[in-house]
Amino acid sequence: MTQPNYNALPARSMWASQRWLRRLIALTLALSLTSGAALGFWSAGSTPGGNGASTAASVDQGAIPTAISVGGDVTVSWAESTLSSGDSVSGYSIERYDASAGALQSVGAGCAGTIEALFCIEDAVPDGAWVYSVTPLLGTFWRGAESPNSLTVTTDSTLPVTAISATATYGTIYQSGNTIFYRGAASGSFTLTNAVSDSGFGPASSTTEPLGGTATGWSHEPSTVSIPSGGPYVSNPFTWTAATDSAPTEMVTGRDSAGNGVTTTLSFVDDSDAPTPGSISYPDGTQPDVSVVVAFSSGADSGSGIANRQLQRSSAQLNSGVCQSFTAFTNEGPSNPTSPYTDTNVVDGSCYQYRYVTADQLNNQDVATSTSIAKVVSCQECPNLGSADSYSVLAVTSVTSTGSTSLAGDLGVSPAGSISGFGPGQGSVAGSTHLNDASSAQAKADMDAAYANLDARMPGTAVAGDLSGNSFHNGIFYAAAAVTLATSVTLDAEGDPDAVFIFQMDAAFAAAASSEIVLLNGAQASNVFWQVAGAVSVGANASFKGTILGGAAVSLGADAQLFGRILTVGTVTLSSNPVTFTTATPPAVTIDGGTSTVTKLAQPTISGTTDAPEGTTVTVKVDGQELTTSAQNDLSWSVTTGPLTSGPYTVVAVVRDSASNAGSASQELTVEINPDPVVLGSADSYSVLAVTSVTSTGSTSLAGDLGVSPAGSIS
C-alpha cells in the first residue's frame, strides 16, 4: 500500500490531519477514563507554521496523612502532592475507613469533595477507630494514586463526668453545690479535688484558670494537673487573707484522654456573719419540780445555712439559798433539740443557767442567753446538803465494807480516813470515790453545815423509846434519849409529796433486824432526815429510809437496805448493803463487748446502751480519765478515750437519774498495741551471728546465714 505523502498535501489538508490526530488521542483518553482512574494525561501544543506537539505527565501518589482527634473532631493533614513534571495538583480527595473492617465511610462536610488546602477538619465523627487516605486530583477527571492509610485515630465524643470537692488546708470553708463559702474574717486556704471519670478512654487532667471577677485578698496559681494517672487531680491552693470579703469565680475544666472537656464555674462567697439572733427563756427562781423547762428559738442564716443547734447549761451549788460559783457551759441534751426541752438531768439543791447556741456551716455562732437562774429545790424545808448531796456514804475516819455492797452515789472520807472493801469482787461504787481529796473535804464541810442546820431547828414533837407501830406526819420530832425501832414505823405524807420528816436525836438510834420504815401516801425517802448525835445501827435485812446525818459511828447489818445516805463524822461499817437515794430503780447501763474485750487501738471508742432518757449524762471512767457523753434517742451512747498504753484497764460506765441514783456497768478492757519493729538491717538474713565463735556438735541445720565478726571462728 502506498503511504501518503503528507508533505505534499496542501496546508488545509495538513491542518485537517492534525485535527484528526488530536481527536483520536482525545477519544483514546476518554475511553481510558471510562475503564479506571487515569494516572497521567497528554498535553498538545503547536507553534505558528509548525506541526503540533504532544507530551505525557503523571499525577504522583498522595502522601500518607496524619489524623489527630480532639473529642469527636478529627483534623487530617498531609504533604503536598505534585505532577511528575513538578507542577502542583489542583486539589485532594479524602477518604475514611473503619480501622478494623476496612469499610469505606461517608466523610463529613469538612473533608468532603475537593480540598484545595493541605488539611481539613471532619466534625462530629462517630465514636470509633478510623484511618484516612488522601488522593491528589488534577481538574475534574485526573486522579493520582490513593495514599496509604494514616495511623489509626480514635474518636470519643462522650463528655467526661467531673466531681469537684474543696478541702480546707486551714481556715473554714463549706461547699454547697458549686458555691464555696469561706469565713473571710480569718485567713484560710483550700485545694480543689476533681474526681474525673470517663466511660470512654479514661480521665486525663484537670485545669484551673486565673480567678475571675473581683478577687481582692485572694491568690491562686493556675495549673493543669494530670497525675496521678486516672486522678483524682488536686489543684494548687486557693488562699485568702484575713478580712477578705470579695466574691471571685473559678473555672475548673476536667478532660478525658480524647480531649473532651467539661468546665464548671465555682463561686467563692464570704460568710463571716452569725445567724440572726435566737431566743431562750425559762422560769427564774425555784422550780416547781426536779426539772427545768426551757423554751428557745433559733435565728435564720442567709449564707451557708444552719448546721447545728445546741442547748448548753452551767450549774452551781445552792447553799443557804445562794448560788455558788457557776461552772463553764457544757452541752445539755441532744443536738437540734425540740422546744420546749425539759431538763430532768438536774441535781436537787443546785442552780442552773442555760443558753442556746445556733451555728452555721462555718461555725459562725449566735448565742441566745437569759439572766434567769433556775433553782432546783424539791424540798423547801429540807436542809441543804450542798456537794454532800451526791454521796451515798461520807465519813471522817473510815468506811469499811464486807460482801457485795453497792453504792448508787459517791463514796468518800475526809480529812484523813481510809476506805476498804471496794473493788473487783468486793463492793461497788457507781459514782466516784474520793479519798481525802478536795471533793470530799468540801462535802465534809457541807455535811457539817447541814447537821448544824438541823440541830439548830426548834425541837418538835417529843418521841421516846421504841418507834414501832407509830405513824408520823409532816414535821420535826425530837428525842432526848436513845431510840429504837423493833418492827416498823410509818411516815405518812397525807398526799403531799413535799412533806418533810425530821428526827432530832440527842443519843443513839438502833433499828432491829428486819425492821422497816414504811413510806405512805406520797412520802419520799429524799425528804426524810435522821440527825443523830449518837451511834446508829441498822440490823440485818432491815429496810431503812432517809438520810442519816450522824455525830458518831453508823453501821448497817448484813443485806440491810438503805434508801438515802450516810453522812457522819464517825466511822461507817457496811455488809452487802444496797444503798440508793430513792426507792426508784436506778437506770440500767451496758457496755458493748460484755465484761471483757480486747482492742488494738490506742484511743478506743467505748459504747453501750442505757434505758435513761435521751440527753442523760453518761460518765465513763478509765485509767484516771473521766469522760462524759449523752444518751441518744436510740438509747445508745459512745465516747472516745484519750491515749492508752498497752495493758489491762477497768472501764466503768455510770448513768444517774434525776435523784442521783446511779446505774453502772464495768468491763475489763485490754489494750494491745504492737511495738515498733526492730530493724535488723543486713543481720536479718542471719540465723546465727556471733562476734568470737560459733561451735556446733551434731547435725545442726540453719535456715539462714551463719557468720562471725570481726575475728571469730566457726566449727
Side-chain angles (χ1 to χ4, degrees):
M1 179 176 179
T2 305
Q3 298 292 327
N5 184 358
Y6 295 110
N7 294 326
L9 294 175
R12 180 178 180 86
S13 298
M14 291 182 64
W15 178 86
S17 297
Q18 291 174 358
R19 182 176 61 183
W20 173 83
L21 180 59
R22 287 196 297 271
R23 288 178 177 176
L24 178 62
I25 293 171
L27 176 62
T28 302
L29 291 175
L31 291 174
S32 69
L33 286 174
T34 63
S35 62
L39 300 178
F41 69 96
W42 289 89
S43 64
S46 63
T47 59
N51 297 329
S54 297
T55 60
S58 62
V59 181
D60 289 344
Q61 184 181 31
I64 299 174
T66 298
I68 299 175
S69 171
V70 178
D73 300 338
V74 178
T75 299
V76 185
S77 61
W78 55 90
E80 181 182 18
S81 295
T82 62
L83 303 178
S84 59
S85 62
D87 295 326
S88 298
V89 299
S90 58
Y92 302 88
S93 174
I94 310 302
E95 306 289 357
R96 173 166 55 85
Y97 300 90
D98 183 284
S100 58
L104 180 64
Q105 309 294 309
S106 297
V107 180
C111 290
T114 299
I115 307 300
E116 296 182 356
L118 295 178
F119 73 94
C120 66
I121 299 175
E122 185 180 12
D123 297 328
V125 179
D127 291 356
W130 317 103
V131 293
Y132 287 81
S133 69
V134 176
T135 300
L137 304 177
L138 181 63
T140 304
F141 301 108
W142 297 90
R143 302 172 62 89
E146 184 178 8
S147 72
N149 291 332
S150 68
L151 296 177
T152 299
V153 62
T154 301
T155 54
D156 173 12
S157 60
T158 302
L159 296 177
V161 177
T162 60
I164 302 172
S165 59
T167 303
T169 305
Y170 62 94
T172 309
I173 63 170
Y174 173 74
Q175 182 175 1
S176 176
N178 291 335
T179 300
I180 298 175
F181 294 95
Y182 70 97
R183 190 172 185 274
S187 61
S189 178
F190 63 87
T191 57
L192 295 176
T193 299
N194 196 352
V196 182
S197 59
D198 183 71
S199 59
F201 295 94
S205 66
S206 179
T207 299
T208 57
E209 304 292 340
L211 288 167
T214 302
T216 304
W218 284 88
S219 62
H220 170 66
E221 182 67 30
S223 64
T224 296
V225 182
S226 58
I227 54 174
S229 178
Y233 308 110
V234 180
S235 72
N236 286 336
F238 295 80
T239 302
W240 74 91
T241 58
T244 295
D245 59 3
S246 59
T249 58
E250 169 61 26
M251 292 192 299
V252 182
T253 302
R255 296 191 182 278
D256 62 16
S257 297
N260 299 301
V262 173
T263 299
T264 302
T265 300
L266 303 176
S267 299
F268 302 164
V269 177
D270 171 44
D271 182 2
S272 300
D273 296 327
T276 57
S279 65
I280 186 171
S281 63
Y282 51 93
D284 189 37
T286 303
Q287 305 300 298
D289 300 302
V290 186
S291 62
V292 182
V293 179
V294 186
F296 44 84
S297 66
S298 59
D301 187 80
S302 59
S304 57
I306 300 297
N308 185 62
R309 302 169 176 86
Q310 181 66 58
L311 190 65
Q312 295 186 334
R313 185 183 75 181
S314 173
S315 62
Q317 291 182 11
L318 179 62
N319 289 339
S320 301
V322 178
C323 298
Q324 305 303 302
S325 298
F326 278 89
T327 64
F329 280 93
T330 58
N331 292 346
E332 170 56 35
S335 296
N336 302 309
T338 301
S339 179
Y341 172 80
T342 301
D343 183 9
T344 59
N345 191 32
V346 295
V347 176
D348 199 7
S350 299
C351 302
Y352 296 96
Q353 285 188 306
Y354 297 85
R355 67 184 188 184
Y356 188 59
V357 180
T358 304
D360 67 12
Q361 299 289 353
L362 299 180
N363 203 33
N364 297 303
Q365 295 185 352
D366 167 66
V367 182
T369 61
S370 172
T371 58
S372 297
I373 298 177
K375 298 179 179 180
V376 178
V377 183
S378 62
C379 176
Q380 298 296 319
E381 299 300 323
C382 296
N384 186 358
L385 299 178
S387 62
D389 181 77
S390 67
Y391 282 76
S392 288
V393 175
L394 177 64
V396 171
T397 53
S398 68
V399 177
T400 303
S401 172
T402 57
S404 55
T405 295
S406 63
L407 306 182
D410 298 337
L411 167 64
V413 293
S414 180
S418 63
I419 297 174
S420 63
F422 292 90
Q426 298 177 300
S428 63
V429 180
S432 301
T433 299
H434 299 279
L435 180 60
N436 305 315
D437 61 8
S439 175
S440 58
Q442 181 60 55
K444 196 267 183 185
D446 294 338
M447 173 187 73
D448 291 342
Y451 185 96
N453 176 274
L454 289 177
D455 190 55
R457 297 194 187 194
M458 292 297 294
T461 304
V463 295
D466 186 2
L467 300 180
S468 299
N470 288 303
S471 180
F472 296 96
H473 304 290
N474 179 50
I476 299 176
F477 309 93
Y478 172 74
V483 176
T484 61
L485 176 61
T487 55
S488 66
V489 63
T490 299
L491 306 182
D492 186 353
E494 299 179 297
D496 179 9
D498 295 328
V500 178
F501 304 84
I502 298 174
F503 292 87
Q504 301 169 319
M505 299 180 180
D506 285 345
F509 177 45
S514 300
S515 61
E516 181 180 9
I517 296 174
V518 179
L519 302 179
L520 192 64
N521 294 324
Q524 301 184 59
S526 58
N527 290 353
V528 179
F529 299 90
W530 305 87
Q531 182 247 321
V532 184
V536 178
S537 62
V538 178
N541 298 303
S543 178
F544 197 89
K545 279 88 171 179
T547 295
I548 300 172
L549 283 154
V554 177
S555 64
L556 300 185
D559 299 316
Q561 291 181 302
L562 171 61
F563 300 96
R565 304 168 182 79
I566 299 175
L567 310 175
T568 183
V569 297
T571 61
V572 177
T573 303
L574 305 169
S575 178
S576 296
N577 307 119
V579 180
T580 60
F581 292 108
T582 67
T583 57
T585 301
V589 62
T590 66
I591 302 176
D592 293 341
T595 57
S596 64
T597 189
V598 178
T599 181
K600 302 290 186 182
L601 301 176
Q603 291 185 257
T605 295
I606 300 172
S607 60
T609 61
T610 178
D611 61 1
E614 178 185 1
T616 299
T617 299
V618 180
T619 303
V620 178
K621 303 173 188 176
V622 56
D623 191 37
Q625 302 177 35
E626 186 166 313
L627 312 165
T628 59
T629 184
S630 297
Q632 303 302 303
N633 57 10
D634 61 354
L635 306 183
S636 67
W637 58 268
S638 66
V639 67
T640 300
T641 74
L644 300 173
T645 58
S646 294
Y649 298 92
T650 299
V651 178
V652 178
V654 179
V655 179
R656 296 180 183 273
D657 63 15
S658 59
S660 294
N661 293 309
S664 66
S666 62
Q667 180 184 81
E668 292 303 313
L669 174 66
T670 301
V671 178
E672 294 180 352
I673 302 175
N674 294 327
D676 293 336
V678 177
V679 179
L680 297 177
S682 61
D684 182 72
S685 65
Y686 282 78
S687 292
V688 176
L689 177 63
V691 173
T692 54
S693 68
V694 177
T695 303
S696 172
T697 58
S699 56
T700 298
S701 62
L702 305 180
D705 298 338
L706 168 65
V708 293
S709 180
S713 62
I714 298 175
S715 64

